[in-house]
């Protein structure tokens, strides 16, 4: 079972309802073969995502979405903690795309190193 915690969805109009966030995350994870675990999707202001972007990626300024995996490898005790997806609605053109994109990153996919598989799967999921 996938458990999705949605944090601060009130930050911007247009943030999908919690049920839609859960559905999108579930589709992305299932498409990558992940069928259990917990993750959080947090919507933040530009200043916060800029701080995270600088701290963890060494890049200046805000971005649209960041993913932070937790239980990527090895055995876990209790439910698997997949990680966190952080989205800045003010810097995101398509919030549904950002949700799917972040969830796919939590499965270990990386569009910067693959041959287009992640972005192709993302487009397919969004077309459903």
């Amino acid at each position: 079972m996938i458990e999705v915690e949605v944090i601060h969805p009130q930050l911007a109009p247009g943030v999908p309802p919690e049920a839609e966030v859960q559905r999108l995350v579930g589709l992305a994870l299932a498409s990558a073969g992940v069928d259990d675990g917990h993750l959080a999707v947090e919507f933040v202001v530009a200043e916060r995502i800029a701080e995270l972007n600088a701290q963890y990626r060494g890049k200046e300024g805000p971005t649209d979405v960041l993913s932070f995996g937790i239980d990527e490898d090895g055995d876990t005790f209790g439910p698997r903690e997949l990680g966190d997806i952080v989205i800045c609605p003010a810097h995101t053109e398509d919030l549904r795309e950002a949700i799917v994109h972040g969830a796919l990153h939590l499965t270990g996919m990386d569009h910067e190193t693959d041959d287009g598989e992640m972005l192709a799967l993302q487009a397919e999921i969004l077309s459903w």
Side-chain angles (χ1 to χ4, degrees):
M1 180 176 98
I2 299 294
E3 181 184 348
V4 180
E5 181 179 354
V6 180
I7 304 168
H8 303 301
Q10 73 281 3
L11 278 179
V15 170
E18 189 169 332
E20 176 73 359
V21 174
Q22 292 172 347
R23 184 184 77 82
L24 290 167
V25 167
L27 287 171
L29 296 179
S31 295
V34 176
D35 60 3
D36 71 325
H38 170 269
L39 66 86
V41 178
E42 182 174 9
F43 296 92
V44 299
V45 296
E47 294 79 16
R48 178 64 180 141
I49 207 159
E51 290 170 3
L52 294 169
N53 203 23
Q55 182 177 356
Y56 293 100
R57 297 180 67 223
K59 296 191 177 190
E60 194 172 315
T63 188
D64 54 352
V65 59
L66 295 171
S67 296
F68 300 95
I70 297 177
D71 291 336
E72 295 176 0
D73 296 315
D75 295 329
T76 62
F77 299 98
R80 180 175 177 198
E81 185 62 42
L82 298 169
D84 299 318
I85 301 168
V86 182
I87 299 172
C88 179
H91 287 273
T92 304
E93 287 186 33
D94 185 336
L95 290 170
R96 287 169 174 79
E97 182 177 303
I99 292 163
V100 170
H101 189 89
L104 290 175
H105 272 304
L106 291 182
T107 69
M109 297 184 94
D110 188 349
H111 57 88
E112 293 181 9
T113 60
D114 70 16
D115 290 321
E117 294 91 354
M118 178 182 163
L119 296 179
L121 179 57
Q122 175 180 302
E124 182 178 340
I125 291 167
L126 291 168
S127 74
W128 298 340

